[in-house]
Amino acid sequence: MRKVVTTLLAITVTAISFSSVFAAENKDNFWQTPTIHNYGKIHYLPNSAFKPDPTQQYHIVFGLTAAADKPDKVNPSLDHVARTVNLYVAAGVPLKNLHIEAVVYSHATPLVLRDAEYQKQYGVANPNLPLITELEKAGIHLSVCGQAIAEHHFDYGWLDKRITLALSALTTITVLEHQGYTFMML
């Protein structure tokens, strides 16, 4: 019985110790958004393995297909694009070395709608537009699958002006892969 009590006490002390350290780290900018401000939070690990080489050019095409849990929430896939930018820049890669295209299709399609159209469809302001602004400032491009726009019965004129209308996600991704982009599905 004494061993059980001692073990439980040790576990409790360890748990309290870890939660105290985590709480202290959170107060001291544990999560950061160094480039895409307020989006794509990261916890940078300066002594970690597989850090990007700041002298390399990175060409990445993201496929964004998931919808947000609720229409008033930022699309999590779009937030992961921001996280990617934040991670690369925190590792020392200059923005000029990042060539990122995010292709929106499937259930993610509504995130590219102008605010007025989004409000008509979902009853709330489009929460993705401020993030799209931040990504645009960093030189990140977004395109949308024209086939997905048609499947959702959206008018092509409803797109936010910063979004490129592509023939399809299928052709966009393969064209960019032939140009040396690495495909990442989100």
Side-chain angles (χ1 to χ4, degrees):
M1 178 71 167
R2 187 177 191 145
K3 275 186 162 180
V4 170
V5 170
T6 303
T7 302
L8 287 173
L9 183 59
I11 291 170
T12 303
V13 168
T14 302
I16 290 170
S17 173
F18 278 124
S19 52
S20 296
V21 167
F22 182 74
E25 287 176 343
N26 258 350
K27 289 180 186 172
D28 296 329
N29 296 322
F30 184 83
W31 293 108
Q32 302 171 15
T33 56
T35 304
I36 308 299
H37 302 293
N38 302 313
Y39 300 98
K41 65 183 180 179
I42 65 166
H43 173 66
Y44 187 65
L45 303 166
N47 298 317
S48 58
F50 300 106
K51 290 193 309 189
D53 179 347
T55 65
Q56 293 289 317
Q57 298 288 318
Y58 293 92
H59 296 81
I60 306 167
V61 55
F62 288 99
L64 280 59
T65 62
D69 291 338
K70 296 179 181 175
D72 63 340
K73 301 293 181 205
V74 169
N75 183 289
S77 297
L78 190 61
D79 192 64
H80 272 77
V81 173
R83 175 176 275 182
T84 302
V85 174
N86 285 331
L87 285 166
Y88 274 85
V89 173
V93 177
L95 282 174
K96 67 181 176 88
N97 290 7
L98 291 178
H99 311 279
I100 296 176
E101 181 77 38
V103 184
V104 179
Y105 56 110
S106 190
H107 301 293
T109 304
L111 77 84
V112 301
L113 293 176
R114 288 189 329 232
D115 196 52
E117 300 307 328
Y118 195 93
Q119 285 189 34
K120 286 178 190 172
Q121 296 290 319
Y122 303 102
V124 295
N126 186 341
N128 300 290
L129 297 180
L131 175 49
I132 291 170
T133 298
E134 289 296 313
L135 290 168
E136 182 184 44
K137 287 179 192 173
I140 309 309
H141 302 108
L142 274 80
S143 60
V144 66
C145 172
Q147 308 310 300
I149 293 292
E151 287 172 350
H152 280 81
H153 305 286
F154 295 156
D155 187 280
Y156 295 110
W158 296 356
L159 300 178
D160 183 82
K161 65 181 186 229
R162 298 165 294 185
I163 309 301
T164 300
L165 177 61
L167 173 61
S168 71
L170 299 169
T171 57
T172 302
I173 291 166
T174 56
V175 165
L176 290 172
E177 283 182 315
H178 279 271
Q179 294 174 6
Y181 280 70
T182 301
F183 177 60
M184 292 188 68
M185 185 67 156
L186 294 178

